Amino acid sequence: MEINELKQIVEALLIATPEPLTETRFKACMGRAEPVLPLDEIIEELQAEYSASDRAFFIKEVAGGYQLVTKAEYEIFVKGLFSKSGKLRLSQAALETLAIVSYRQPVTRNDIEAIRGVSSDSSLRTLLDRKLLEIRGRDDGPGRALLYRTSIEFLQYFGLNSVKDLPKLREVEDILSEDQGELV
Amino acid sequence: MEINELKQIVEALLIATPEPLTETRFKACMGRAEPVLPLDEIIEELQAEYSASDRAFFIKEVAGGYQLVTKAEYEIFVKGLFSKSGKLRLSQAALETLAIVSYRQPVTRNDIEAIRGVSSDSSLRTLLDRKLLEIRGRDDGPGRALLYRTSIEFLQYFGLNSVKDLPKLREVEDILSEDQGELV
Amino acid sequence: MMIKPHRIDLEMFEGPLDLLLFLIKRDELNIYDIPVAQITKDFLEYVNLAKELKLHSAGDFVLMAATLMKIKARMLLPIEADGDEEIEDPRTELMNMLLEYKRYKEAAGAFSNLERVERPHYYHIPGAWDPQQEDKTAILEDIKLYDIMLTFRYLLKNYEEPVTHSVAIEEVTMSEQVGFLNGLLQAKTSLKFSSLLEQFESRLIVVVTFLAILEMLRGRQIKVKQTKLFDDLLLSRGAEFGN
């Protein structure tokens, strides 16, 4: 296989890959196509091409693989993509915390940690920063712990009129239990 | 601002954006930088450049914005990046359910089942899992049933710019006249 | 036309409406003027097979069978010229259902074509984690209400009150459900199908009960009435009730 063809294939892979492209993954994608150069050699050629044609991105070596990233000088424009982004992006930890607050509100930090089994400080901070949660009042218990609830922004994002409109667990079970009929 | 500079900025945005880049979002990213051309003009220039330099990807107009996609000819390599289930084709049941939701949204599960005449739990589950549908609020009716809608991922999956571009739904009269015709 | 349906045939159909459309096309029937007796007979053959195969959607086929039998019965009634009230053809509603379903079935075909065209293209997704960012935890994109729901469900199952979640698999047989329905109809002259459903916790029992109803319907132990297509079913004692 020629270098130009290989360069194009690697470019397609870099565009489509959701995680850094490793040598192993590259080989798997190439299947039985032969002969194939080592990934780092192809990357080097491609990198030179991007640099010569003044592309706004380059190939970054990261976590044992390669990924397309934008050049630092475009950072001021790119960050505009993530301010009030249309899509909600959260870590698994933050999602778990959000799920517990949604269904159990109002809750204290202790309530959340009892269910998750791990400290949830930083998730709570992230969710407060993103205005998905808010602090409203204090628990009556001895510690007078802060109470967390979901915010108006949370309702708007998910198109809900009130937290009462959250899907009930029973409604989820209906959809999830489809396979039972086949056991008959 | 010069067109070449704008092209590079848009390229950076296309590389960094997790969802289709819309005109609105583009303007937000540009902030007070002036003067700025309309996004579609810049896209056109960039598209021509990619095409001339034989890139493995192009810019697709989808879901009201622009996104980079790989060319079809690299499919045999690119698909190796994903587990098989990633691009499994939808079943007939899921396609029917999706068709009903897309033309009649928002709809309840009952609305879907009334048209299909068959329980649609498992299709709904598949479509929710694949993010092609989303739950959006509740019906005002007495049952307060959950409402379903198509998502941005739905538009991307079928390469549509908006729900206005759905394949045309035939009128009952058309079907009738055709069927009568067959009998004659 | 007495071609015996096979398992493969039945699994081809998305439901009772799909099967009816197939029968209409196969026998070149006029959708405006469906010969209900003939189509009911053919349909029941498939339904019995569905029952034998214990198909997931058997209940939906049973419902349609009941509807067809009801239409058939109504076709046999003499038409009374009752003033100037127009008498509606009992098949009209079914015809409308079939046509409506057919529209969406066709649209599903169009979607399938689009899917095929779009399939070879892969969208660029920027790295799910930002290399500039030190936090290496996976960032989940585009969280939906469904994800919140699933996450909460998952957390409950794993961390909380594990004792209450030890659900025993319930064993239930068709003959048990026949007995159960018999008992209910001995106590009451009629009962609504929806009220039956409410008391069952698992879909397994619901399906077995559907099958029991079909069995009893065939043996004329019970009668099933339905005022509108996909409306609630009203069960009552049949000619052979208790036998």
Side-chain angles (χ1 to χ4, degrees), chain B residues 55-99:
Chain B
R55 302 260 68 95
F57 57 87
F58 65 100
I59 306 168
K60 187 171 175 74
E61 193 173 356
V62 71
Y66 299 95
Q67 213 167 357
L68 298 179
V69 296
T70 58
K71 286 187 185 160
E73 58 213 87
Y74 302 103
E75 183 196 11
I76 48 160
F77 305 108
V78 173
K79 69 181 181 190
L81 292 169
F82 301 90
S83 65
K84 272 203 190 112
S85 60
K87 269 229 165 179
L88 265 189
R89 295 195 67 169
L90 294 169
S91 67
Q92 177 66 22
L95 286 166
E96 284 180 10
T97 304
L98 203 54

Side-chain angles (χ1 to χ4, degrees), chain B residues 15 68-70 87 89-90 93 96 104 114-115 118-119 129 131 134 153 156-157 170 179-180, chain C residues 14 17 30 32 60 97 101-104 106 111-112 115 119 121-124 142 144 146-147:
Chain B
I15 286 290
L68 298 179
V69 296
T70 58
K87 269 229 165 179
R89 295 195 67 169
L90 294 169
E96 284 180 10
R104 309 197 86 158
I115 293 179
V118 71
S119 154
D129 281 342
K131 293 191 190 289
E134 55 190 35
E153 286 84 349
Q156 290 176 315
Y157 188 78
R170 274 217 296 167
D179 286 2
Q180 296 304 307
Chain C
E14 290 304 330
L17 292 169
N30 185 347
Y32 266 136
D60 298 309
M97 291 278 334
Y101 171 68
K102 195 172 180 201
R103 293 171 80 198
Y104 289 100
E106 284 183 356
F111 277 115
S112 178
E115 185 186 37
R119 194 177 155 74
H121 299 289
Y122 288 77
Y123 286 99
H124 168 58
D142 192 22
K144 310 234 189 247
Y146 183 62
D147 300 308

Side-chain angles (χ1 to χ4, degrees), chain A residues 5-172:
Chain A
E5 206 178 341
L6 285 170
K7 263 160 64 183
Q8 283 180 309
I9 294 170
V10 170
E11 181 170 85
L13 293 175
L14 287 171
I15 285 288
T17 188
E19 51 197 77
L21 181 66
T22 60
E23 174 81 40
T24 320
R25 177 61 70 185
F26 170 62
K27 281 203 184 121
C29 292
M30 293 308 290
R32 268 178 277 173
E34 289 283 4
V36 169
L37 294 172
L39 180 60
D40 51 4
E41 284 180 31
I42 309 167
I43 291 284
E44 212 171 295
E45 297 263 349
L46 207 51
Q47 189 78 281
E49 191 180 323
Y50 291 161
S51 162
S53 61
D54 249 344
R55 301 261 68 92
F57 56 86
F58 66 103
I59 304 168
K60 187 173 169 122
E61 192 171 354
V62 76
Y66 299 95
Q67 204 167 26
L68 295 180
V69 293
T70 54
K71 286 188 186 159
E73 58 210 90
Y74 301 102
E75 182 64 16
I76 49 159
F77 302 107
V78 167
K79 69 179 186 203
L81 291 171
F82 300 98
S83 63
K84 276 195 178 176
S85 163
K87 285 188 181 181
L88 184 58
R89 307 163 89 223
L90 292 176
S91 67
Q92 177 66 34
L95 172 61
E96 289 183 7
T97 305
L98 184 60
I100 293 166
V101 179
S102 311
Y103 280 97
R104 285 283 161 98
Q105 56 189 304
V107 286
T108 67
R109 202 187 58 185
N110 275 346
D111 296 335
I112 298 166
E113 293 178 354
I115 296 180
R116 288 195 60 219
V118 289
S119 159
S120 303
D121 262 350
S122 76
S123 308
L124 276 172
R125 222 172 312 125
T126 310
L127 294 166
L128 287 169
D129 279 351
R130 304 220 175 149
K131 299 199 188 324
L132 293 165
L133 294 188
E134 57 191 33
I135 296 172
R136 278 255 292 276
R138 284 177 185 274
D139 195 19
D140 289 335
R144 307 270 300 137
L146 294 173
L147 288 172
Y148 294 88
R149 298 168 192 268
T150 54
S151 64
I152 303 274
E153 284 85 350
F154 169 87
L155 294 177
Q156 281 169 348
Y157 186 84
F158 291 109
L160 299 169
N161 286 325
S162 99
V163 289
K164 288 192 207 105
D165 289 347
L166 277 169
K168 303 209 171 28
L169 286 187
R170 181 176 44 75
E171 293 173 311
V172 199

Side-chain angles (χ1 to χ4, degrees), chain A residues 15 67 87-92 95 99-100 103-104 115 158 167 169 172-173 176-178 180 184, chain C residues 54 56 124-125 127-129 138-145 148-149 151-153 155-156 159-160 203:
Chain A
I15 285 288
Q67 204 167 26
K87 285 188 181 181
L88 184 58
R89 307 163 89 223
L90 292 176
S91 67
Q92 177 66 34
L95 172 61
I100 293 166
Y103 280 97
R104 285 283 161 98
I115 296 180
F158 291 109
L169 286 187
V172 199
E173 297 301 339
L176 295 176
S177 63
E178 34 127 0
Q180 282 195 12
V184 183
Chain C
K54 295 164 177 156
H56 177 47
H124 168 58
I125 315 153
W129 53 277
I139 298 295
L140 307 165
E141 285 284 346
D142 192 22
I143 296 190
K144 310 234 189 247
L145 207 47
I148 291 187
M149 211 162 69
T151 304
F152 186 61
R153 177 177 177 266
L155 288 170
L156 279 190
Y159 297 109
E160 214 197 27
R203 295 178 55 84

